[in-house]
Amino acid sequence: MAMKAQEIEDLIRESFPDAKIIITDLAGDGNHYAAEVIDESFRGQNRVQQQRAVYASLKGKMDGANGELHALALTTKVPE
């Protein structure tokens, strides 16, 4: 089952309410997305810690063959 970009943004926004979030559907199929998440809470964390926090916010939507989201290219940053 495919996900909509807004659903992905909504899940991420629950954990990062003040973040700038940009979701791009890479293939037009609702299964392959890119997300850029810019949030102050990432300051002091390394890239792996930042990305783990975002993946956790997806609440299992990417888990295994039954996940609703097949692929997410993730970029995380702190605001400049």
Side-chain angles (χ1 to χ4, degrees):
M1 176 181 225
M3 288 187 75
K4 293 185 167 126
Q6 188 62 52
E7 292 175 279
I8 298 167
E9 182 175 341
D10 291 346
L11 286 169
I12 295 171
R13 186 142 327 270
E14 285 180 31
S15 295
F16 302 95
D18 298 323
K20 178 178 179 184
I21 301 169
I22 302 166
I23 307 292
T24 306
D25 187 342
L26 298 174
D29 62 1
N31 284 316
H32 298 81
Y33 287 96
E36 181 177 37
V37 182
I38 303 169
D39 194 68
E40 184 62 37
S41 71
F42 295 146
R43 194 168 303 279
Q45 295 181 348
N46 66 39
R47 200 67 50 134
V48 171
Q49 292 168 320
Q50 294 171 17
Q51 292 189 357
R52 282 183 179 157
V54 174
Y55 282 124
S57 74
L58 296 173
K59 301 179 182 169
K61 298 292 184 186
M62 289 190 70
D63 290 352
N66 296 322
E68 296 175 50
L69 181 58
H70 177 70
L72 180 67
L74 183 57
T75 302
T76 55
K77 306 178 188 180
V78 295
E80 293 184 12

